[in-house]
Amino acid sequence: DLKDKFPKIPIEPGEEVLRVEQLTRKGVLHGVSFRVRRGEILGIAGLIGSRRTETARAIFGADTLDSGRIFLHGREVQVRTPADAIRHRIALVPEDRKRHGICACLPVRENVTLSALGQFSRKGFLDIGAEKRRAQELVSSLRVATPDIERWVLYLSGGNQQKVVIAKWLMTDARVIL
């Protein structure tokens, strides 16, 4: 029985982490609003063309909004670009990982650390040893099936490619993952 294999773990949702109010993009989004509290998972479902992807991309700053407000931990933030989102510790795991989530002809190590290279850069030089150690920690933690972190992501299975995308955002210490 699934209830035995995956028992429900009672979790009391915490404080509000993300709130979006009246996100609007002409012809695409019309007054999208919701809130998510710490410990909650919000699912946005719909058929192809229902604008789920566009909603996530707009919150991440990948698509421009005409109006609306985004709040993190009760404070309004401006997210106009993906760089703004990353600074605010918002991550996007895209629907199409091959086109928007990975660099297929780069090794696992570089894909994992790509969004957080500043952590490994000192005076304009990359500390490859530190980069390798941190990438290996995440690859091991997520059980990415790869012979080593220098393997091109192209050669991994789809599920392992998806784990690399998630590792990339865990590297940034993201607090909201879309």
Side-chain angles (χ1 to χ4, degrees):
D1 187 33
L2 282 178
K3 290 178 187 172
D4 296 333
K5 194 165 184 109
F6 301 103
K8 182 166 174 63
I9 300 170
I11 295 176
E12 186 65 35
E15 76 282 355
E16 180 181 273
V17 176
L18 173 68
R19 181 172 78 235
V20 299
E21 293 180 350
Q22 298 299 313
L23 296 187
T24 301
R25 182 169 184 218
K26 188 175 180 183
V28 179
L29 302 174
H30 307 284
V32 174
S33 297
F34 61 84
R35 48 182 83 206
V36 181
R37 296 173 14 182
R38 185 175 188 79
E40 289 184 323
I41 297 172
L42 171 68
I44 300 175
L47 299 173
I48 292 175
S50 65
R51 309 295 190 203
R52 330 175 287 281
T53 300
E54 290 81 355
T55 300
R57 287 179 52 86
I59 295 166
F60 187 66
D63 292 338
T64 306
L65 288 170
D66 294 322
S67 64
R69 298 165 46 174
I70 300 172
F71 296 83
L72 289 172
H73 304 285
R75 188 175 61 91
E76 187 171 6
V77 295
Q78 298 300 316
V79 182
R80 292 188 178 97
T81 66
D84 291 340
I86 292 168
R87 237 184 336 276
H88 291 300
R89 297 163 78 181
I90 300 172
L92 174 66
V93 177
E95 192 170 27
D96 184 346
R97 78 173 168 276
K98 288 185 178 181
R99 286 184 52 207
H100 302 119
I102 60 169
C103 296
C105 292
L106 289 178
V108 169
R109 169 182 54 86
E110 290 180 25
N111 271 273
V112 168
T113 61
L114 191 59
S115 59
L117 283 176
Q119 293 179 26
F120 309 104
S121 179
R122 304 291 178 256
K123 297 182 181 183
F125 293 96
L126 193 60
D127 181 347
I128 294 176
E131 180 192 27
K132 284 182 179 181
R133 284 188 297 278
R134 185 66 181 118
Q136 186 61 60
E137 287 172 13
L138 280 168
V139 164
S140 296
S141 172
L142 294 176
R143 298 185 186 134
V144 177
T146 181
D148 83 35
I149 61 172
E150 297 306 322
R151 177 84 165 189
W152 279 10
V153 172
L154 170 72
Y155 298 120
L156 302 183
S157 70
N160 284 297
Q161 290 176 357
Q162 193 71 3
K163 288 179 183 182
V164 168
V165 173
I166 291 169
K168 172 177 68 176
W169 293 117
L170 292 176
M171 180 70 71
T172 69
D173 199 25
R175 295 295 184 225
V176 173
I177 299 177
L178 305 168

